[in-house]
Amino acid sequence: MGVTAAAQSGTASRTTPGEAAWPYPKGKRLVFLLDACSSLERRYLEDWIARNAPSTEPGLVRVIPVLSTRTNNNPRQIDPRLEQVLSTNEDPLMAPLRVAWLGGDSNGTGESVGKGLLSLRNPHNPGKLRQNWLLKRHPERCRVVVADPAPASELRSRWRRAGGTDFAATTGLAEFVVRQAGLALERAERRLRGTRYKVPRFVNEEILSRSSFKGGLAKLTWELGRTEAEVSHEAIEYLDEIAATHSTYVIDIAAQLIRLLYTRGYGEQLHYDRAELEKVYEVAQRYPVVFLPSHKSNLDHLVLQYALHENGHPPNHTAGGINMNFFPIGPIVRRSGVFFIRRSFKDNPVYKYVLQAYIDYLIEKRFPLEWYLEGGRSRSGKLLPPRFGLLANVVDAYRRGRSEDVVLIPVSISYDQIQDIGEYVAEQRGAAKEAESLSWFIKMVRRFHKKFGDIHISFGEPLSLRDQLGEQNPDAEPNPDEQNIGVQKTAFEVMVRINNSTPITPTSLLTIALLGKGDRALTLEEIAGPVDKLGAYVRKRGLPTTGIDELQTREGIEQNLQRLIDNGVVSVFSEGPEAVYAIVPDQHLAAAFYRNTIIHYFVNGSIVELALLRAMENDVKDAQEGFWSEIMNLRDLLKFEFFFSDKDTFVEEIREELGVHDPDWPTKLKGGRDDLRDLLGEIRPWNSHRVLRPFFEAYQVVGDALETLDTDKPFDEGAFLNSCLALGKQYHLQRRIRSAESVSKVLFSTALDLAKNRELLEGGDDLLKRRQDFGEEIRRATRRIDGIDALVASRRARLID
């Protein structure tokens, strides 16, 4: 019962083509362990044995039925003959045997399982009547699977290593052998059906029977001062609550349902590079992989699951919030690979221990993992700050030697438009998030009555934990601070790689151009001007794109505008001499979502523009020093909004950005104001007014609100954010801020994070003065953006928008 399987090579002259070969024992006693779900399967397997048994040694073959591992509803006990065989001094070869029922397609991959969806029959595990029918009508769909045999002595040794010497354990040697037979048969059958059905079996039993798990639980019991029975019972319940319970049938059905769902609102084909996915597959053959996708829609996990399934990849073990475990969705997705974890369990040491043991098991067995590093869906379009919990579990498993390496796969999932956008806009304006439930799910499905374009999946550069964290040293004394820093740096590197693989879409480029003009309606030519310049900049930098060549013609721009019109984001007025387009009132946050999915590509250039303006101001004595000082100041101001590289890399990125526009930038940066003005003029297009204004205007609202707070009263975050929403609406009505998308609870929250970081919420005699300084710092940055806006409007000298 080894790790390779399917059909054994051997001497069996009577084996017919397509049949499994006899596991030739070479003179040893051979015990067949029959894993049969029905009397028909048992007879079929016994007939196969009789037909293929070598005539030279008829007395050396023995047949013992065992509990079927394909069903959880088998009440039979362990056959006493198995216990008898294992208790003797003989060392027979144990050979697991079962019947595999293939789907209607000849290769067993389940591609015709759509018929099963309509009939609600599992083609891989038919009932007794259907087995009879299949055997008569389609005998080619009934295959005998022989797993690698193993000597009883080897199985006994494995049992002891797994903790079987603990005679108080409920799992004895016979049960262990049956479980090993089932695992070996799963591996053998996977060779027949394909790797998309590589799923774990007996997960709970294996974890609970491990001596290391029992030892750790005993230590935890002593530390908590509780009884062993109480803690063990709790651990078993937690493992049942957490673990996924895969079903090959549900995996197939889920794939069909996913396709039915996403094609209601999106194109038939998912857009991704199959060569990238093939590279991921090659990595996964050597090391455990962890898929870390961006999270912008409830479809994210589903479309990634479908892309993997249609390419023959095994299903990921995907962490889902316990809030998604509602009927009937919870039971279905659990059987297709989702494991549910609680939102908070920091004060529950038993739960933490069980979760770590589950992650250890998956890493050790090289089962792929998946979760959202952001934790929840982004309401703004930008990546959210990473959550470190599960990543810390994986890093801990790697450091303790559960695998020689673990490879993280950054994944960007992008949509031309998304069906959740109305919900996101409402939440940014202060509405409460709707709780997940069956009625919530039905509402989500109903939103697919419109067309939202295409879905794009991009796989970023894989990140090896061994390369990122260094070689393992399980015996070293752990340094918690060092480990935490390592986890944080790894998480941020993954986020940078997700950003770098995100493609620029026509929708995202159009919304950058439209939002740059505020509330004003634009003609087609007024839209095409900045779109052309933005497209030229994107191509010059070689940024990833999908479909933006459509925007090189006026017809293509009109078609993409029409898609935004169809979904209520953009309006058109065509009763005048020339049609004009504008973002629909109250839809600026929706447009900003699409812009923000690619905004990171334009942030460094926007920072350069503002730093050049700062370097030209009268109070700056050394322009070059003033430029770099402002570069770092702006990086610090925006560090809670964007994922910046480490400082040295960031400086190199700024140098590269300057080089894109003017190869002679080092000389001009050292020169006088005329040289700086000339350098600024070479930047085409200017983007700071399009890219950074909403953030600084939101920060301005927060800064002004902080200045009015009583420094002696405790800070109430919820009340403060609500007051910012009211103040932001007032400022926009007064035109004190230009961007409607600045009035956003998400932006106010990140501005508040910056204020916390600068200790501006409470404490200190000079608190009011520090708040005022903060507000003035934001106002200065906003005034420089106004300066860029004025230069764009007046088209001074050679400065071209």
Side-chain angles (χ1 to χ4, degrees):
M1 289 177 250
V3 295
T4 60
Q8 298 294 318
S9 60
T11 316
S13 58
R14 284 173 288 175
T15 300
T16 58
E19 274 197 317
W22 183 266
Y24 196 70
K26 298 182 179 178
K28 293 190 68 173
R29 181 175 296 280
L30 181 63
V31 176
F32 278 110
L33 303 178
L34 267 59
D35 182 338
C37 286
S38 66
S39 56
L40 181 146
E41 287 188 356
R42 180 174 173 177
R43 289 196 305 272
Y44 191 85
L45 293 173
E46 289 171 343
D47 288 347
W48 180 89
I49 294 170
R51 189 170 65 251
N52 289 279
S55 57
T56 54
E57 298 171 330
L60 295 179
V61 177
R62 190 170 183 181
V63 176
I64 300 177
V66 297
L67 297 174
S68 174
T69 56
R70 299 211 313 265
T71 176
N72 297 322
N73 300 317
N74 200 323
R76 291 181 299 152
Q77 301 298 312
I78 295 291
D79 193 309
R81 289 175 293 175
L82 177 59
E83 295 177 327
Q84 180 184 4
V85 166
L86 294 171
S87 65
T88 65
N89 294 325
E90 294 182 1
D91 189 21
L93 207 61
M94 317 293 284
L97 204 65
R98 81 158 48 143
V99 172
W101 299 93
L102 304 185
D105 51 316
S106 60
N107 61 10
T109 59
E111 291 169 1
S112 66
V113 78
K115 295 179 180 178
L117 174 61
L118 297 176
S119 63
L120 297 179
R121 288 194 298 258
N122 184 349
H124 306 310
N125 193 16
K128 294 178 183 179
L129 292 176
R130 187 159 180 81
Q131 286 179 1
N132 275 290
W133 183 85
L134 285 171
L135 200 56
K136 292 176 181 177
R137 298 290 298 272
H138 300 284
E140 74 282 357
R141 290 167 60 178
C142 181
R143 302 280 184 90
V144 172
V145 177
V146 185
D148 282 345
S153 58
E154 180 186 328
L155 292 167
R156 191 175 290 109
S157 297
R158 286 191 214 166
W159 175 65
R160 287 172 178 158
R161 288 196 301 271
T165 52
D166 178 3
F167 292 104
T170 58
T171 303
L173 176 58
E175 288 87 348
F176 177 82
V177 169
V178 171
R179 198 165 69 236
Q180 290 294 297
L183 292 171
L185 286 167
E186 287 293 320
R187 290 190 291 267
E189 194 170 338
R190 196 159 62 236
R191 291 291 184 88
L192 187 64
R193 296 190 190 278
T195 55
R196 73 176 67 188
Y197 300 112
K198 179 188 175 184
V199 297
R201 300 296 304 273
F202 314 111
V203 176
N204 294 24
E205 294 89 339
E206 282 208 42
I207 292 174
L208 294 171
S209 65
R210 290 183 169 192
S211 56
S212 58
F213 180 83
K214 290 184 281 189
L217 208 59
K219 180 183 176 184
L220 192 59
T221 298
W222 181 82
E223 291 173 349
L224 296 174
R226 299 168 61 186
T227 67
E228 182 178 343
E230 185 182 33
V231 173
S232 295
H233 178 72
E234 193 173 320
I236 291 170
E237 286 188 336
Y238 288 152
L239 190 56
D240 286 339
E241 177 185 306
I242 292 170
T245 54
H246 292 79
S247 159
T248 56
Y249 174 54
V250 175
I251 289 169
D252 280 336
I253 293 299
Q256 297 296 320
L257 291 174
I258 289 168
R259 181 171 176 79
L260 286 173
L261 179 62
Y262 86 74
T263 54
R264 280 171 55 91
Y266 293 93
E268 292 282 328
Q269 298 299 320
L270 301 175
H271 295 264
Y272 58 88
D273 188 337
R274 291 180 183 270
E276 287 180 352
L277 204 50
E278 184 62 32
K279 291 177 183 176
V280 171
Y281 182 83
E282 291 171 4
V283 171
Q285 300 311 297
R286 299 179 59 196
Y287 306 111
V289 297
V290 179
F291 291 84
L292 297 171
S294 57
H295 196 16
K296 294 182 172 62
S297 167
N298 285 305
L299 283 180
D300 292 333
H301 163 66
L302 301 179
V303 295
L304 178 58
Q305 179 179 339
Y306 187 81
L308 295 173
H309 184 82
E310 71 175 350
N311 284 274
H313 288 238
N316 293 339
H317 288 70
T318 303
I322 198 73
N323 57 304
M324 295 297 293
N325 190 20
F326 58 87
F327 183 84
I329 303 304
I332 292 173
V333 298
R334 187 187 288 275
R335 285 166 176 77
S336 66
V338 173
F339 64 95
F340 293 105
I341 57 175
R342 299 181 179 184
R343 290 291 188 184
S344 177
F345 47 86
K346 63 180 180 179
D347 297 324
N348 190 335
V350 179
Y351 188 94
K352 286 195 287 188
Y353 178 76
V354 171
L355 178 60
Q356 182 66 66
Y358 184 64
I359 299 297
D360 284 356
Y361 175 85
L362 296 177
I363 292 295
E364 183 181 317
K365 299 296 185 182
R366 293 210 322 268
F367 289 108
L369 278 157
E370 176 194 336
W371 72 85
Y372 302 118
L373 203 50
E374 300 169 84
R377 286 173 291 158
S378 169
R379 268 59 176 178
S380 68
K382 297 188 295 88
L383 291 181
L384 298 174
R387 305 284 184 87
F388 304 120
L390 277 176
L391 182 61
N393 288 125
V394 169
V395 168
D396 187 51
Y398 163 73
R399 282 180 164 144
R400 287 185 287 104
R402 295 295 180 178
S403 176
E404 61 182 284
D405 196 5
V406 179
V407 179
L408 311 181
I409 310 295
V411 184
S412 167
I413 304 177
S414 305
Y415 304 81
D416 287 344
Q417 297 184 61
I418 65 168
Q419 79 286 351
D420 303 318
I421 197 68
E423 176 186 333
Y424 296 170
V425 169
E427 289 179 32
Q428 288 193 75
R429 289 180 177 144
K433 175 180 176 290
E434 183 178 0
E436 287 81 2
S437 63
L438 180 58
S439 61
W440 166 87
F441 178 75
I442 292 170
K443 289 177 190 175
M444 186 195 78
V445 173
R446 285 176 175 169
R447 292 192 194 115
F448 288 98
H449 67 284
K450 295 182 180 180
K451 290 299 180 182
F452 297 96
D454 288 319
I455 302 174
H456 314 274
I457 305 175
S458 302
F459 299 91
E461 182 185 353
L463 180 63
S464 157
L465 286 188
R466 184 169 55 197
D467 292 345
Q468 180 76 6
L469 303 173
E471 293 290 340
Q472 302 163 332
N473 189 0
D475 299 326
E477 188 68 27
N479 182 330
D481 292 337
E482 184 179 316
Q483 289 183 346
N484 288 339
I485 291 172
V487 170
Q488 291 172 22
K489 286 185 175 179
T490 301
F492 276 87
E493 179 60 27
V494 170
M495 302 306 267
V496 168
R497 295 188 185 198
I498 292 174
N499 267 339
N500 289 343
S501 62
T502 301
I504 296 171
T505 65
T507 299
S508 58
L509 211 59
L510 272 176
T511 50
I512 285 184
L514 289 166
L515 287 166
K517 300 299 183 180
D519 297 331
R520 189 164 71 85
L522 306 172
T523 65
L524 187 61
E525 287 303 316
E526 288 176 317
I527 296 170
V531 165
D532 289 345
K533 296 180 180 69
L534 287 165
Y537 171 78
V538 165
R539 284 184 281 272
K540 191 173 184 179
R541 281 190 56 193
L543 300 176
T545 64
T546 177
I548 69 164
D549 288 345
E550 297 173 9
L551 302 181
Q552 291 184 291
T553 66
R554 301 305 181 257
E555 292 78 10
I557 293 175
E558 279 188 297
Q559 288 171 4
N560 280 279
L561 284 170
Q562 186 59 49
R563 291 167 191 151
L564 287 165
I565 292 168
D566 291 341
N567 286 306
V569 178
V570 170
S571 64
V572 59
F573 179 80
S574 55
E575 296 178 21
E578 195 171 4
V580 291
Y581 302 85
I583 296 170
V584 173
D586 294 334
Q587 289 298 312
H588 287 78
L589 286 170
F593 180 96
Y594 301 123
R595 175 200 62 195
N596 290 346
T597 60
I598 62 163
I599 199 172
H600 53 278
Y601 290 124
F602 303 92
V603 170
N604 285 358
S606 299
I607 287 175
V608 165
E609 296 167 22
L610 300 185
L612 285 172
L613 280 183
R614 170 60 182 147
M616 285 188 275
E617 292 176 2
N618 293 330
D619 62 328
V620 177
K621 295 179 180 179
D622 184 323
Q624 185 169 234
E625 181 182 336
F627 172 81
W628 288 111
S629 175
E630 184 65 10
I631 288 286
M632 302 313 292
N633 287 342
L634 291 169
R635 179 182 184 272
D636 186 71
L637 269 177
L638 296 167
K639 65 185 177 183
F640 288 99
E641 293 292 350
F642 304 106
F643 292 97
F644 293 109
S645 304
D646 63 83
K647 289 185 179 179
D648 291 340
T649 306
F650 176 69
V651 167
E652 286 305 310
E653 290 171 353
I654 294 296
R655 293 175 180 274
E656 290 174 10
E657 181 69 33
L658 286 164
V660 167
H661 302 288
D662 190 342
D664 195 33
W665 70 266
T667 302
K668 292 179 179 177
L669 195 58
K670 294 176 184 177
R673 287 187 176 82
D674 289 341
D675 290 322
L676 293 174
R677 191 173 291 109
D678 183 51
L679 178 56
L680 182 60
E682 292 297 323
I683 295 175
R684 301 182 183 183
W686 286 349
N687 288 315
S688 56
H689 60 302
R690 299 186 180 104
V691 170
L692 297 183
R693 178 182 290 284
F695 301 95
F696 283 130
E697 287 188 340
Y699 283 29
Q700 180 184 331
V701 171
V702 170
D704 290 354
L706 280 173
E707 289 183 39
T708 64
L709 285 184
D710 188 334
T711 57
D712 295 326
K713 290 184 178 180
F715 182 77
D716 183 335
E717 183 170 328
F720 179 77
L721 289 175
N722 286 334
S723 71
C724 287
L725 284 168
L727 183 61
K729 291 175 185 176
Q730 175 189 317
Y731 277 10
H732 186 248
L733 289 170
Q734 294 174 308
R735 294 298 184 259
R736 292 176 65 177
I737 59 175
R738 301 186 190 181
S739 302
E741 67 270 27
S742 299
V743 186
S744 161
K745 194 172 185 178
V746 171
L747 296 188
F748 295 151
S749 295
T750 49
L752 193 58
D753 288 337
L754 178 63
K756 290 177 187 175
N757 180 255
R758 296 194 175 188
E759 300 180 348
L760 299 177
L761 300 191
E762 48 193 356
D765 295 335
D766 63 341
L767 180 58
L768 178 58
K769 175 67 166 57
R770 288 187 286 114
R771 287 176 175 176
Q772 290 171 340
D773 291 343
F774 174 72
E776 183 54 33
E777 182 181 5
I778 301 300
R779 284 188 284 272
R780 284 196 299 268
T782 306
R783 284 196 292 269
R784 292 188 191 110
I785 292 176
D786 290 339
I788 292 288
D789 226 345
L791 290 172
V792 170
S794 63
R795 306 180 68 86
R796 290 179 184 172
R798 297 193 304 119
L799 303 181
I800 300 174
D801 177 25

